[in-house]
Amino acid sequence: MPRYYQWLGGLAGFWLSTNVSAFTLPDWPPTLELDHILVQTSLLTRHFDPDPEHVNRQKLASIELHNPDRWLAGAAWFKNSFDQPTWYVYAGREFPLWQVAEEVNVRAKLTGGLLRGYKGEYRDKIPLNHFEIAPALLPSIGVQWGRVESDLIIFGTAGMMVTAGLRF
């Protein structure tokens, strides 16, 4: 019997013996209750592989609506890497990582949504942008200190952005 069959059998056995509740989301579906609103802007952008065409001033403005269970929905407007106006409409979730002090928390965030704005000769600079609307998945790590929040967002293999905002 090939070695990978044994590996797949072990994986299937582990999966079947795992408690199903470990994979469920206890707060699904998300409640439509508003906990706070986050308004953000970009502070710094850097591309991992700089190109003379890249613009590092994104002028981001975003708004996120958060519920008490850490689910969120938002919209962001910014200038993309090629100075084109771009929209990102998304949903996601926050994941608490570490409480440094009473009002200082470190957390991760994962958002997914649709990106529109890479047009013309730059249409193929992001994957799956056949109709000038592309799916996007953005992980970030951030800190919240009272009403102030800041995030380090990684956008694929292209670069990163630091944002700051206020909770209301």
Side-chain angles (χ1 to χ4, degrees), residues 42-102:
S42 55
L43 300 177
L44 173 76
T45 303
R46 289 293 176 255
H47 289 83
F48 298 138
D49 187 17
D51 181 319
E53 291 184 307
H54 285 160
V55 174
N56 283 321
R57 282 175 266 114
Q58 273 46 62
K59 301 178 183 175
L60 174 112
S62 74
I63 186 167
E64 291 180 354
L65 307 174
H66 291 249
N67 81 357
D69 299 321
R70 299 185 181 272
W71 291 98
L72 62 103
W77 178 91
F78 59 96
K79 294 283 193 152
N80 68 27
S81 300
F82 306 98
D83 206 31
Q84 296 175 315
T86 303
W87 282 94
Y88 177 48
V89 179
Y90 58 93
R93 181 120 194 236
E94 287 184 347
F95 303 94
L97 298 177
W98 180 36
Q99 185 166 2
V100 179
E102 187 175 328

Short mmCIF file of all heavy atoms in Angstrom, two decimals, residues 42-102:
data_model
loop_
_atom_site.label_atom_id
_atom_site.label_comp_id
_atom_site.label_asym_id
_atom_site.label_seq_id
_atom_site.Cartn_x
_atom_site.Cartn_y
_atom_site.Cartn_z
N SER A 42 -5.05 55.70 6.31
CA SER A 42 -3.73 55.08 6.14
C SER A 42 -2.64 56.05 6.61
O SER A 42 -2.74 57.25 6.43
CB SER A 42 -3.49 54.71 4.68
OG SER A 42 -3.67 55.84 3.85
N LEU A 43 -1.62 55.48 7.23
CA LEU A 43 -0.47 56.26 7.68
C LEU A 43 0.77 56.00 6.84
O LEU A 43 1.54 56.91 6.55
CB LEU A 43 -0.13 55.94 9.14
CG LEU A 43 -1.21 56.20 10.17
CD1 LEU A 43 -0.74 55.76 11.55
CD2 LEU A 43 -1.61 57.66 10.17
N LEU A 44 0.96 54.73 6.46
CA LEU A 44 2.18 54.32 5.77
C LEU A 44 1.89 53.12 4.89
O LEU A 44 1.18 52.21 5.30
CB LEU A 44 3.25 53.95 6.82
CG LEU A 44 4.54 53.33 6.31
CD1 LEU A 44 5.43 54.41 5.72
CD2 LEU A 44 5.27 52.64 7.45
N THR A 45 2.44 53.12 3.68
CA THR A 45 2.34 51.98 2.78
C THR A 45 3.72 51.68 2.22
O THR A 45 4.46 52.59 1.86
CB THR A 45 1.39 52.27 1.60
OG1 THR A 45 0.11 52.62 2.13
CG2 THR A 45 1.24 51.07 0.68
N ARG A 46 4.06 50.41 2.15
CA ARG A 46 5.32 49.97 1.55
C ARG A 46 5.06 48.75 0.69
O ARG A 46 4.35 47.83 1.10
CB ARG A 46 6.36 49.61 2.62
CG ARG A 46 6.92 50.77 3.36
CD ARG A 46 7.78 51.66 2.44
NE ARG A 46 8.24 52.84 3.12
CZ ARG A 46 7.76 54.07 2.96
NH1 ARG A 46 6.78 54.28 2.13
NH2 ARG A 46 8.26 55.08 3.62
N HIS A 47 5.65 48.75 -0.49
CA HIS A 47 5.58 47.59 -1.39
C HIS A 47 6.80 46.72 -1.16
O HIS A 47 7.90 47.23 -0.97
CB HIS A 47 5.50 48.05 -2.84
CG HIS A 47 4.19 48.67 -3.18
ND1 HIS A 47 3.90 50.00 -2.91
CD2 HIS A 47 3.07 48.13 -3.72
CE1 HIS A 47 2.67 50.25 -3.30
NE2 HIS A 47 2.13 49.14 -3.79
N PHE A 48 6.59 45.41 -1.15
CA PHE A 48 7.69 44.47 -0.93
C PHE A 48 8.68 44.49 -2.09
O PHE A 48 9.86 44.29 -1.90
CB PHE A 48 7.17 43.05 -0.70
CG PHE A 48 6.29 42.92 0.52
CD1 PHE A 48 5.13 42.17 0.47
CD2 PHE A 48 6.62 43.56 1.71
CE1 PHE A 48 4.33 42.03 1.58
CE2 PHE A 48 5.81 43.43 2.84
CZ PHE A 48 4.67 42.66 2.76
N ASP A 49 8.18 44.70 -3.28
CA ASP A 49 9.02 44.76 -4.48
C ASP A 49 8.73 46.10 -5.17
O ASP A 49 7.92 46.17 -6.10
CB ASP A 49 8.70 43.58 -5.40
CG ASP A 49 9.65 43.48 -6.57
OD1 ASP A 49 10.74 44.09 -6.51
OD2 ASP A 49 9.32 42.77 -7.54
N PRO A 50 9.37 47.18 -4.72
CA PRO A 50 9.03 48.51 -5.25
C PRO A 50 9.21 48.60 -6.77
O PRO A 50 10.12 48.03 -7.35
CB PRO A 50 10.03 49.43 -4.56
CG PRO A 50 10.49 48.69 -3.36
CD PRO A 50 10.43 47.23 -3.73
N ASP A 51 8.28 49.30 -7.37
CA ASP A 51 8.26 49.53 -8.80
C ASP A 51 8.15 51.05 -8.97
O ASP A 51 7.43 51.69 -8.21
CB ASP A 51 7.03 48.82 -9.38
CG ASP A 51 6.90 48.96 -10.88
OD1 ASP A 51 7.15 50.06 -11.41
OD2 ASP A 51 6.50 47.97 -11.52
N PRO A 52 8.81 51.65 -9.95
CA PRO A 52 8.68 53.10 -10.14
C PRO A 52 7.24 53.57 -10.34
O PRO A 52 6.92 54.71 -10.05
CB PRO A 52 9.52 53.38 -11.38
CG PRO A 52 10.45 52.24 -11.50
CD PRO A 52 9.76 51.05 -10.89
N GLU A 53 6.36 52.68 -10.82
CA GLU A 53 4.96 53.04 -11.02
C GLU A 53 4.16 53.05 -9.71
O GLU A 53 3.07 53.60 -9.66
CB GLU A 53 4.29 52.07 -11.99
CG GLU A 53 4.80 52.19 -13.41
CD GLU A 53 4.02 51.28 -14.34
OE1 GLU A 53 3.92 50.07 -14.04
OE2 GLU A 53 3.51 51.77 -15.34
N HIS A 54 4.67 52.38 -8.65
CA HIS A 54 3.92 52.28 -7.40
C HIS A 54 3.82 53.61 -6.68
O HIS A 54 4.78 54.36 -6.58
CB HIS A 54 4.58 51.27 -6.46
CG HIS A 54 4.36 49.85 -6.86
ND1 HIS A 54 5.16 48.84 -6.41
CD2 HIS A 54 3.44 49.28 -7.65
CE1 HIS A 54 4.74 47.69 -6.91
NE2 HIS A 54 3.70 47.95 -7.67
N VAL A 55 2.64 53.85 -6.15
CA VAL A 55 2.37 55.02 -5.32
C VAL A 55 2.25 54.51 -3.88
O VAL A 55 1.56 53.54 -3.63
CB VAL A 55 1.06 55.70 -5.76
CG1 VAL A 55 0.70 56.83 -4.82
CG2 VAL A 55 1.17 56.18 -7.19
N ASN A 56 2.91 55.16 -2.95
CA ASN A 56 2.86 54.74 -1.55
C ASN A 56 2.02 55.66 -0.68
O ASN A 56 2.10 55.61 0.54
CB ASN A 56 4.27 54.62 -0.97
CG ASN A 56 4.97 53.36 -1.43
OD1 ASN A 56 4.37 52.30 -1.53
ND2 ASN A 56 6.24 53.48 -1.74
N ARG A 57 1.22 56.50 -1.29
CA ARG A 57 0.29 57.36 -0.55
C ARG A 57 -1.13 56.98 -0.95
O ARG A 57 -1.66 57.47 -1.93
CB ARG A 57 0.57 58.84 -0.83
CG ARG A 57 1.79 59.33 -0.06
CD ARG A 57 2.16 60.75 -0.42
NE ARG A 57 3.20 60.68 -1.48
CZ ARG A 57 3.03 61.09 -2.72
NH1 ARG A 57 1.93 61.64 -3.11
NH2 ARG A 57 4.00 60.97 -3.60
N GLN A 58 -1.74 56.08 -0.17
CA GLN A 58 -3.03 55.51 -0.55
C GLN A 58 -4.23 56.39 -0.19
O GLN A 58 -5.31 56.17 -0.72
CB GLN A 58 -3.20 54.13 0.07
CG GLN A 58 -2.62 52.99 -0.76
CD GLN A 58 -1.24 53.22 -1.31
OE1 GLN A 58 -0.29 53.38 -0.58
NE2 GLN A 58 -1.11 53.26 -2.62
N LYS A 59 -4.10 57.32 0.73
CA LYS A 59 -5.20 58.22 1.12
C LYS A 59 -6.46 57.45 1.49
O LYS A 59 -7.57 57.82 1.12
CB LYS A 59 -5.49 59.22 -0.01
CG LYS A 59 -4.29 60.06 -0.38
CD LYS A 59 -4.60 60.99 -1.53
CE LYS A 59 -3.35 61.77 -1.92
NZ LYS A 59 -3.56 62.59 -3.09
N LEU A 60 -6.29 56.37 2.23
CA LEU A 60 -7.38 55.49 2.62
C LEU A 60 -8.35 56.18 3.57
O LEU A 60 -7.93 56.88 4.49
CB LEU A 60 -6.82 54.23 3.30
CG LEU A 60 -7.87 53.29 3.87
CD1 LEU A 60 -7.88 52.00 3.08
CD2 LEU A 60 -7.58 52.99 5.32
N ALA A 61 -9.62 55.94 3.34
CA ALA A 61 -10.68 56.32 4.28
C ALA A 61 -11.61 55.12 4.37
O ALA A 61 -12.10 54.63 3.35
CB ALA A 61 -11.44 57.53 3.78
N SER A 62 -11.82 54.61 5.60
CA SER A 62 -12.67 53.43 5.74
C SER A 62 -13.57 53.56 6.96
O SER A 62 -13.28 54.31 7.89
CB SER A 62 -11.83 52.15 5.85
OG SER A 62 -11.22 52.06 7.12
N ILE A 63 -14.64 52.80 6.90
CA ILE A 63 -15.57 52.71 8.02
C ILE A 63 -15.94 51.25 8.22
O ILE A 63 -16.16 50.53 7.24
CB ILE A 63 -16.83 53.60 7.79
CG1 ILE A 63 -17.70 53.60 9.03
CG2 ILE A 63 -17.58 53.17 6.56
CD1 ILE A 63 -18.77 54.68 9.01
N GLU A 64 -15.91 50.82 9.49
CA GLU A 64 -16.27 49.45 9.83
C GLU A 64 -17.35 49.47 10.90
O GLU A 64 -17.27 50.24 11.86
CB GLU A 64 -15.07 48.67 10.38
CG GLU A 64 -14.00 48.38 9.37
CD GLU A 64 -12.83 47.62 9.96
OE1 GLU A 64 -12.76 47.41 11.19
OE2 GLU A 64 -11.95 47.26 9.16
N LEU A 65 -18.32 48.60 10.76
CA LEU A 65 -19.38 48.41 11.75
C LEU A 65 -19.09 47.09 12.46
O LEU A 65 -18.98 46.04 11.80
CB LEU A 65 -20.75 48.36 11.07
CG LEU A 65 -21.07 49.54 10.15
CD1 LEU A 65 -22.40 49.30 9.44
CD2 LEU A 65 -21.09 50.84 10.93
N HIS A 66 -18.95 47.12 13.78
CA HIS A 66 -18.60 45.94 14.57
C HIS A 66 -19.78 45.55 15.47
O HIS A 66 -20.41 46.42 16.06
CB HIS A 66 -17.39 46.24 15.46
CG HIS A 66 -16.14 46.43 14.70
ND1 HIS A 66 -15.09 45.54 14.75
CD2 HIS A 66 -15.74 47.41 13.85
CE1 HIS A 66 -14.11 45.97 13.98
NE2 HIS A 66 -14.48 47.11 13.43
N ASN A 67 -20.00 44.23 15.61
CA ASN A 67 -21.02 43.76 16.54
C ASN A 67 -20.34 43.27 17.82
O ASN A 67 -19.11 43.17 17.87
CB ASN A 67 -21.93 42.72 15.88
CG ASN A 67 -21.36 41.32 15.84
OD1 ASN A 67 -20.24 41.06 16.24
ND2 ASN A 67 -22.15 40.40 15.34
N PRO A 68 -21.10 42.94 18.87
CA PRO A 68 -20.48 42.51 20.13
C PRO A 68 -19.71 41.19 20.03
O PRO A 68 -18.86 40.90 20.88
CB PRO A 68 -21.67 42.36 21.08
CG PRO A 68 -22.78 43.13 20.47
CD PRO A 68 -22.53 43.13 19.00
N ASP A 69 -19.97 40.36 19.02
CA ASP A 69 -19.31 39.07 18.85
C ASP A 69 -18.06 39.15 17.97
O ASP A 69 -17.58 38.13 17.50
CB ASP A 69 -20.29 38.05 18.27
CG ASP A 69 -21.48 37.83 19.16
OD1 ASP A 69 -21.30 37.79 20.40
OD2 ASP A 69 -22.60 37.70 18.64
N ARG A 70 -17.57 40.37 17.72
CA ARG A 70 -16.34 40.63 16.96
C ARG A 70 -16.46 40.44 15.44
O ARG A 70 -15.47 40.37 14.74
CB ARG A 70 -15.16 39.83 17.50
CG ARG A 70 -14.83 40.17 18.94
CD ARG A 70 -13.58 39.45 19.38
NE ARG A 70 -13.26 39.71 20.75
CZ ARG A 70 -12.52 40.74 21.16
NH1 ARG A 70 -12.04 41.59 20.31
NH2 ARG A 70 -12.27 40.90 22.44
N TRP A 71 -17.68 40.28 14.92
CA TRP A 71 -17.88 40.27 13.47
C TRP A 71 -17.91 41.71 12.99
O TRP A 71 -18.29 42.61 13.74
CB TRP A 71 -19.18 39.55 13.10
CG TRP A 71 -19.13 38.09 13.36
CD1 TRP A 71 -19.62 37.43 14.45
CD2 TRP A 71 -18.55 37.09 12.53
NE1 TRP A 71 -19.38 36.09 14.34
CE2 TRP A 71 -18.73 35.84 13.17
CE3 TRP A 71 -17.91 37.12 11.30
CZ2 TRP A 71 -18.29 34.65 12.62
CZ3 TRP A 71 -17.46 35.92 10.75
CH2 TRP A 71 -17.65 34.71 11.41
N LEU A 72 -17.56 41.94 11.74
CA LEU A 72 -17.53 43.30 11.21
C LEU A 72 -17.89 43.33 9.73
O LEU A 72 -17.77 42.32 9.04
CB LEU A 72 -16.15 43.93 11.42
CG LEU A 72 -14.97 43.24 10.73
CD1 LEU A 72 -14.56 44.02 9.50
CD2 LEU A 72 -13.82 43.14 11.70
N ALA A 73 -18.34 44.49 9.30
CA ALA A 73 -18.59 44.75 7.88
C ALA A 73 -18.08 46.16 7.61
O ALA A 73 -18.17 47.03 8.48
CB ALA A 73 -20.07 44.64 7.56
N GLY A 74 -17.51 46.37 6.42
CA GLY A 74 -16.96 47.68 6.16
C GLY A 74 -16.81 48.01 4.69
O GLY A 74 -17.05 47.17 3.81
N ALA A 75 -16.40 49.24 4.47
CA ALA A 75 -16.11 49.73 3.13
C ALA A 75 -14.92 50.68 3.23
O ALA A 75 -14.80 51.43 4.21
CB ALA A 75 -17.31 50.45 2.53
N ALA A 76 -14.06 50.61 2.23
CA ALA A 76 -12.87 51.47 2.21
C ALA A 76 -12.70 52.05 0.82
O ALA A 76 -12.92 51.37 -0.18
CB ALA A 76 -11.63 50.68 2.60
N TRP A 77 -12.30 53.31 0.79
CA TRP A 77 -11.93 53.97 -0.46
C TRP A 77 -10.47 54.36 -0.32
O TRP A 77 -10.03 54.85 0.72
CB TRP A 77 -12.77 55.21 -0.68
CG TRP A 77 -12.38 55.93 -1.94
CD1 TRP A 77 -12.92 55.75 -3.17
CD2 TRP A 77 -11.35 56.92 -2.08
NE1 TRP A 77 -12.28 56.58 -4.09
CE2 TRP A 77 -11.31 57.30 -3.43
CE3 TRP A 77 -10.44 57.51 -1.21
CZ2 TRP A 77 -10.42 58.23 -3.94
CZ3 TRP A 77 -9.55 58.45 -1.71
CH2 TRP A 77 -9.55 58.80 -3.06
N PHE A 78 -9.69 54.14 -1.38
CA PHE A 78 -8.27 54.50 -1.37
C PHE A 78 -7.76 54.63 -2.79
O PHE A 78 -8.44 54.24 -3.75
CB PHE A 78 -7.45 53.47 -0.59
CG PHE A 78 -7.53 52.06 -1.13
CD1 PHE A 78 -6.56 51.59 -1.99
CD2 PHE A 78 -8.58 51.23 -0.79
CE1 PHE A 78 -6.63 50.30 -2.50
CE2 PHE A 78 -8.65 49.94 -1.28
CZ PHE A 78 -7.68 49.47 -2.14
N LYS A 79 -6.57 55.17 -2.93
CA LYS A 79 -5.87 55.18 -4.21
C LYS A 79 -5.02 53.91 -4.24
O LYS A 79 -4.23 53.67 -3.32
CB LYS A 79 -4.96 56.40 -4.32
CG LYS A 79 -5.70 57.70 -4.38
CD LYS A 79 -6.29 57.93 -5.74
CE LYS A 79 -6.75 59.36 -5.87
NZ LYS A 79 -6.71 59.83 -7.23
N ASN A 80 -5.17 53.10 -5.28
CA ASN A 80 -4.39 51.86 -5.34
C ASN A 80 -2.94 52.15 -5.69
O ASN A 80 -2.53 53.31 -5.82
CB ASN A 80 -5.04 50.83 -6.28
CG ASN A 80 -5.01 51.23 -7.74
OD1 ASN A 80 -4.14 51.96 -8.20
ND2 ASN A 80 -5.98 50.72 -8.49
N SER A 81 -2.15 51.12 -5.84
CA SER A 81 -0.72 51.25 -6.09
C SER A 81 -0.40 52.02 -7.36
O SER A 81 0.73 52.46 -7.55
CB SER A 81 -0.07 49.87 -6.17
OG SER A 81 -0.27 49.17 -4.97
N PHE A 82 -1.39 52.18 -8.24
CA PHE A 82 -1.18 52.86 -9.51
C PHE A 82 -2.00 54.16 -9.58
O PHE A 82 -2.35 54.62 -10.65
CB PHE A 82 -1.50 51.92 -10.66
CG PHE A 82 -0.72 50.64 -10.56
CD1 PHE A 82 -1.29 49.50 -10.01
CD2 PHE A 82 0.62 50.60 -10.92
CE1 PHE A 82 -0.56 48.33 -9.87
CE2 PHE A 82 1.36 49.44 -10.77
CZ PHE A 82 0.77 48.30 -10.25
N ASP A 83 -2.33 54.70 -8.40
CA ASP A 83 -3.01 55.99 -8.25
C ASP A 83 -4.42 56.00 -8.84
O ASP A 83 -4.91 57.04 -9.26
CB ASP A 83 -2.16 57.12 -8.82
CG ASP A 83 -2.45 58.46 -8.18
OD1 ASP A 83 -2.81 58.48 -6.98
OD2 ASP A 83 -2.34 59.49 -8.86
N GLN A 84 -5.08 54.84 -8.85
CA GLN A 84 -6.46 54.76 -9.34
C GLN A 84 -7.41 54.69 -8.14
O GLN A 84 -7.14 53.98 -7.17
CB GLN A 84 -6.65 53.50 -10.19
CG GLN A 84 -5.82 53.49 -11.45
CD GLN A 84 -5.96 52.16 -12.18
OE1 GLN A 84 -5.90 51.09 -11.58
NE2 GLN A 84 -6.15 52.24 -13.49
N PRO A 85 -8.54 55.40 -8.17
CA PRO A 85 -9.50 55.30 -7.08
C PRO A 85 -10.05 53.87 -7.00
O PRO A 85 -10.44 53.29 -8.01
CB PRO A 85 -10.60 56.30 -7.45
CG PRO A 85 -10.29 56.79 -8.81
CD PRO A 85 -8.95 56.32 -9.22
N THR A 86 -10.08 53.33 -5.78
CA THR A 86 -10.43 51.93 -5.58
C THR A 86 -11.35 51.78 -4.37
O THR A 86 -11.20 52.48 -3.38
CB THR A 86 -9.15 51.09 -5.38
OG1 THR A 86 -8.30 51.29 -6.52
CG2 THR A 86 -9.45 49.62 -5.24
N TRP A 87 -12.28 50.83 -4.46
CA TRP A 87 -13.19 50.48 -3.37
C TRP A 87 -12.93 49.06 -2.91
O TRP A 87 -12.67 48.18 -3.74
CB TRP A 87 -14.64 50.58 -3.83
CG TRP A 87 -15.16 51.96 -3.90
CD1 TRP A 87 -15.18 52.77 -5.00
CD2 TRP A 87 -15.72 52.72 -2.84
NE1 TRP A 87 -15.71 53.99 -4.69
CE2 TRP A 87 -16.06 53.98 -3.34
CE3 TRP A 87 -15.97 52.46 -1.49
CZ2 TRP A 87 -16.65 54.97 -2.57
CZ3 TRP A 87 -16.55 53.45 -0.72
CH2 TRP A 87 -16.88 54.67 -1.26
N TYR A 88 -13.02 48.83 -1.60
CA TYR A 88 -12.98 47.49 -1.02
C TYR A 88 -14.19 47.38 -0.09
O TYR A 88 -14.30 48.12 0.88
CB TYR A 88 -11.67 47.29 -0.25
CG TYR A 88 -11.53 45.96 0.47
CD1 TYR A 88 -11.81 44.76 -0.15
CD2 TYR A 88 -11.08 45.92 1.79
CE1 TYR A 88 -11.65 43.55 0.50
CE2 TYR A 88 -10.92 44.72 2.45
CZ TYR A 88 -11.21 43.54 1.82
OH TYR A 88 -11.06 42.33 2.48
N VAL A 89 -15.12 46.50 -0.41
CA VAL A 89 -16.31 46.25 0.40
C VAL A 89 -16.13 44.86 0.99
O VAL A 89 -15.86 43.91 0.25
CB VAL A 89 -17.59 46.34 -0.46
CG1 VAL A 89 -18.82 46.05 0.38
CG2 VAL A 89 -17.69 47.71 -1.12
N TYR A 90 -16.29 44.75 2.32
CA TYR A 90 -15.85 43.52 2.97
C TYR A 90 -16.62 43.18 4.23
O TYR A 90 -17.37 44.00 4.77
CB TYR A 90 -14.36 43.62 3.30
CG TYR A 90 -14.00 44.79 4.18
CD1 TYR A 90 -13.93 44.67 5.56
CD2 TYR A 90 -13.73 46.05 3.63
CE1 TYR A 90 -13.60 45.75 6.36
CE2 TYR A 90 -13.39 47.13 4.43
CZ TYR A 90 -13.34 46.97 5.79
OH TYR A 90 -13.01 48.04 6.59
N ALA A 91 -16.39 41.96 4.70
CA ALA A 91 -16.86 41.48 5.99
C ALA A 91 -15.71 40.71 6.62
O ALA A 91 -14.79 40.28 5.91
CB ALA A 91 -18.09 40.59 5.83
N GLY A 92 -15.76 40.53 7.92
CA GLY A 92 -14.67 39.81 8.55
C GLY A 92 -14.89 39.60 10.02
O GLY A 92 -16.00 39.75 10.53
N ARG A 93 -13.79 39.26 10.70
CA ARG A 93 -13.85 38.97 12.13
C ARG A 93 -12.55 39.36 12.80
O ARG A 93 -11.48 39.26 12.21
CB ARG A 93 -14.09 37.49 12.34
CG ARG A 93 -14.20 37.07 13.79
CD ARG A 93 -15.53 36.45 14.09
NE ARG A 93 -15.77 36.35 15.50
CZ ARG A 93 -16.04 35.23 16.13
NH1 ARG A 93 -16.08 34.10 15.48
NH2 ARG A 93 -16.30 35.24 17.41
N GLU A 94 -12.66 39.79 14.05
CA GLU A 94 -11.50 40.07 14.90
C GLU A 94 -11.25 38.85 15.79
O GLU A 94 -12.18 38.16 16.18
CB GLU A 94 -11.76 41.25 15.82
CG GLU A 94 -11.75 42.58 15.18
CD GLU A 94 -11.93 43.68 16.22
OE1 GLU A 94 -12.30 43.41 17.38
OE2 GLU A 94 -11.70 44.82 15.84
N PHE A 95 -9.97 38.63 16.12
CA PHE A 95 -9.57 37.53 16.98
C PHE A 95 -8.66 38.08 18.08
O PHE A 95 -7.55 38.51 17.77
CB PHE A 95 -8.85 36.45 16.17
CG PHE A 95 -9.66 35.94 15.03
CD1 PHE A 95 -9.52 36.49 13.76
CD2 PHE A 95 -10.58 34.92 15.21
CE1 PHE A 95 -10.28 36.03 12.69
CE2 PHE A 95 -11.34 34.46 14.15
CZ PHE A 95 -11.19 35.02 12.88
N PRO A 96 -9.10 38.08 19.33
CA PRO A 96 -8.25 38.61 20.40
C PRO A 96 -7.01 37.74 20.58
O PRO A 96 -7.09 36.52 20.55
CB PRO A 96 -9.15 38.55 21.64
CG PRO A 96 -10.24 37.60 21.31
CD PRO A 96 -10.37 37.57 19.82
N LEU A 97 -5.86 38.38 20.76
CA LEU A 97 -4.60 37.65 20.93
C LEU A 97 -4.00 37.84 22.32
O LEU A 97 -3.55 36.89 22.95
CB LEU A 97 -3.58 38.09 19.88
CG LEU A 97 -3.93 37.83 18.42
CD1 LEU A 97 -2.86 38.39 17.50
CD2 LEU A 97 -4.14 36.34 18.18
N TRP A 98 -4.00 39.10 22.81
CA TRP A 98 -3.29 39.38 24.05
C TRP A 98 -3.80 40.68 24.64
O TRP A 98 -3.90 41.69 23.94
CB TRP A 98 -1.80 39.48 23.72
CG TRP A 98 -0.87 39.76 24.84
CD1 TRP A 98 -0.96 39.33 26.13
CD2 TRP A 98 0.32 40.54 24.77
NE1 TRP A 98 0.10 39.78 26.86
CE2 TRP A 98 0.91 40.53 26.04
CE3 TRP A 98 0.95 41.23 23.75
CZ2 TRP A 98 2.09 41.19 26.32
CZ3 TRP A 98 2.12 41.89 24.03
CH2 TRP A 98 2.69 41.85 25.29
N GLN A 99 -4.10 40.65 25.92
CA GLN A 99 -4.49 41.87 26.62
C GLN A 99 -3.28 42.36 27.40
O GLN A 99 -2.90 41.80 28.41
CB GLN A 99 -5.67 41.65 27.55
CG GLN A 99 -6.15 42.92 28.16
CD GLN A 99 -7.51 42.80 28.82
OE1 GLN A 99 -8.10 41.73 28.86
NE2 GLN A 99 -8.00 43.91 29.35
N VAL A 100 -2.66 43.42 26.90
CA VAL A 100 -1.43 43.97 27.48
C VAL A 100 -1.73 44.68 28.79
O VAL A 100 -1.00 44.53 29.77
CB VAL A 100 -0.75 44.93 26.48
CG1 VAL A 100 0.51 45.53 27.07
CG2 VAL A 100 -0.48 44.23 25.17
N ALA A 101 -2.76 45.47 28.81
CA ALA A 101 -3.20 46.21 30.00
C ALA A 101 -4.71 46.31 29.94
O ALA A 101 -5.34 45.81 29.01
CB ALA A 101 -2.55 47.59 30.02
N GLU A 102 -5.30 46.99 30.91
CA GLU A 102 -6.76 47.06 30.98
C GLU A 102 -7.38 47.60 29.69
O GLU A 102 -8.38 47.09 29.22
CB GLU A 102 -7.19 47.92 32.16
CG GLU A 102 -8.68 47.89 32.39
CD GLU A 102 -9.10 48.65 33.63
OE1 GLU A 102 -8.32 48.67 34.60
OE2 GLU A 102 -10.19 49.22 33.60
#
